[in-house]
Structures are given as C-alpha cells and as structure tokens.
Amino acid sequence: MTVTFEQYTLFAWGWIAVAVIVFIALLFITAPYGRHTKTTWGPLIDNKLGWFVMEFFVLAVLFFFLYKGTNTISLVNGIIVGFFALHYVNRSIIFPLRIQTNGKKMPLTITLMAMCFNLVNGFLIGYYLGEFVVYPVEWLLTPQFIIGTLIFAVGMFINWQSDNTLIHLRKPGETGYKIPQKGLFRYVSCPNLLGEVVEWAGFAILTWSLPGLAFFVWTFANLVPRAVSHHKWYQEKFPDYPKERKAVFPFIW
C-alpha cells in the first residue's frame, strides 16, 4: 500500500499528539521494568532477551522500509541511517551483553508494547528516507546538520558514559543498589536518560524533519517520566540521597 505525503504527515502529527498524552499518563504510572518490575503485568522474560528483541526490532523495521522504498540511498541518507543504527546496535546488542543483571526479568507486555512503539518509529523514519526525501551532499554543510550532529554526539557520549558508570557500580559478586556519584550523576539521577533525550534532539535537528521531531518528542515523553520515577525511588531507598540532585535536567527538574 502506498502512503501519500499528506497521509504520512497527518499520521506523524497524530503520533506526536499521542506522545503528549502518554507523557502525562507516565507522570502518574510507572512502567514496570528494571527496578520497577512487577509480576502483575503478566508473564516475565529474561530482561537481556527483552532488551534485544524490543530494541533490535526498530532496526529491522527501518531497513525493511528502506529496502522497499523507491529512493536511492544518498551519502547523507546513509550517514543519517548510520547514526540511528549506531545507537540501536549498542542498545540492542552491546548494552544487554554488558549489563550485570543475570536472572532479572521484565514483563513480556513491556517488550510487546516497545515493539509496537518501535514499529511506528521505524516506519516513520524508514518510509521518510525510503520514499520522500533524498538529502543532497550539500546538506552536510548546513547549520542544521553540523549543529545537530554535534548535539547528537554529545548526547551519545553522555548516554554511554553514564551507562558505563552504572554497569561498573557494583563489584563482581555484589548485589543491591548503590548511589552513583561520578560524572553527571553529581547533578541528576538519570544522566543516561538525559543523554538519550539530548541525542534525539540532535537527530531531529540534523535531519530537520517531521519524523525526527516525532522521535524526539516520544523519547522525551518516555524517558523524562522514567527519570522522575527513578529519582523518587532513589529518594525513598536512600535517606542520605543528595537533596540538590535533580531527576534529569541539571538545576531544573
């Protein structure tokens, strides 16, 4: 089935509107995975398997629509896809292999919901690049691409560095939770999530596109409430938790 640009645009704006609703809902409902996992959300699966399935799925969808698309993949389109794939190869393969969470579970429901989320996002970006837009090589010299790429790189660095701090927080054989103290953890409870928000803001700028904006809005809607939940959890778990530390945005929130 062929989707016109008008239909595609209407769908993308509708998807952004749904993100706003989800953002408000998640400020009151904590998604049950990670430290917030609950058995009341149905069957549980290994969390590493869950991470791989739900995160790799977006790459499968993206490349499917690129393959089926009528556009040729220009150099710039290829770079943009490479940026996207770099994040998700790390998130779906490298990150699950590195985390020390043997035996931990996540609800299958969360994995399936994430796959639905990634189905839409993979379609929006893949169809946009596969059918509607071929960026010329001159785009590499535009302020949008240069500034957006720098922001994307900074966000990725913050995300990866913060993940590395969390992964090495426990010594071999240790269990339980500790208060992270290094890097941006001195200012916010979840710099790893802050990094992702910054990263996809950069992606939206460097593509200067509606699907890039939609992906950023959804990232914000998912991760900011998640950071707030983590922050509250830390405050309840540790009586000596630093009072000046914010949830996700330094000195703000």
Side-chain angles (χ1 to χ4, degrees):
M1 182 181 73
T2 302
V3 178
T4 67
F5 187 71
E6 290 74 19
Q7 291 170 329
Y8 173 92
T9 301
L10 182 63
F11 178 79
W13 280 113
W15 186 234
I16 290 173
V18 173
V20 175
I21 297 171
V22 168
F23 171 73
I24 296 170
L26 288 178
L27 291 175
F28 301 94
I29 302 171
T30 301
Y33 66 94
R35 69 195 66 185
H36 308 288
T37 297
K38 296 179 181 178
T39 58
T40 54
W41 281 57
L44 302 176
I45 63 172
D46 180 80
N47 74 323
K48 292 186 178 184
L49 174 62
W51 270 109
F52 170 75
V53 172
M54 68 185 185
E55 299 287 19
F56 192 80
F57 184 66
V58 72
L59 289 178
V61 175
L62 171 72
F63 281 102
F64 170 80
F65 283 107
L66 289 174
Y67 174 75
K68 297 292 287 186
T70 57
N71 283 347
T72 56
I73 301 299
S74 69
L75 171 64
V76 182
N77 282 37
I79 290 172
I80 290 170
V81 171
F83 286 166
F84 191 89
L86 179 61
H87 173 88
Y88 275 99
V89 167
N90 174 68
R91 184 56 59 187
S92 64
I93 300 175
I94 299 173
F95 177 75
L97 291 175
R98 295 185 67 211
I99 55 177
Q100 302 172 28
T101 57
N102 293 329
K104 286 196 173 183
K105 306 288 184 180
M106 74 162 56
L108 177 61
T109 305
I110 293 297
T111 302
L112 295 176
M113 290 172 63
M115 289 178 69
C116 291
F117 165 74
N118 282 331
L119 173 64
V120 177
N121 288 319
F123 159 73
L124 284 176
I125 295 172
Y127 205 87
Y128 182 78
L129 295 175
E131 295 289 348
F132 296 134
V133 173
V134 177
Y135 288 91
V137 69
E138 292 79 13
W139 186 254
L140 296 176
L141 299 178
T142 62
Q144 295 97 312
F145 185 84
I146 295 170
I147 295 171
T149 299
L150 289 173
I151 294 173
F152 181 85
V154 168
M156 179 173 285
F157 175 78
I158 293 171
N159 177 246
W160 287 11
Q161 183 188 57
S162 303
D163 278 347
N164 192 61
T165 297
L166 290 174
I167 289 169
H168 293 94
L169 198 58
R170 300 189 192 100
K171 296 178 181 178
E174 284 188 332
T175 58
Y177 289 92
K178 296 181 178 180
I179 301 175
Q181 302 288 358
K182 295 181 179 180
L184 285 177
F185 281 103
R186 293 191 293 266
Y187 304 100
V188 294
S189 295
C190 301
N192 52 328
L193 304 184
L194 168 63
E196 282 203 53
V197 171
V198 171
E199 193 177 342
W200 296 115
F203 187 82
I205 294 170
L206 72 90
T207 61
W208 207 247
S209 65
L210 182 56
L213 173 64
F215 198 87
F216 164 69
V217 172
W218 265 100
T219 300
F220 188 98
N222 272 323
L223 298 189
V224 171
R226 183 76 176 165
V228 171
S229 295
H230 280 1
H231 186 65
K232 291 178 180 177
W233 182 90
Y234 274 121
Q235 291 174 322
E236 294 169 359
K237 181 80 172 178
F238 299 99
D240 59 339
Y241 195 70
K243 290 182 171 43
E244 70 280 1
R245 194 175 296 188
K246 300 298 184 180
V248 60
F249 300 113
F251 313 112
I252 301 172
W253 189 11

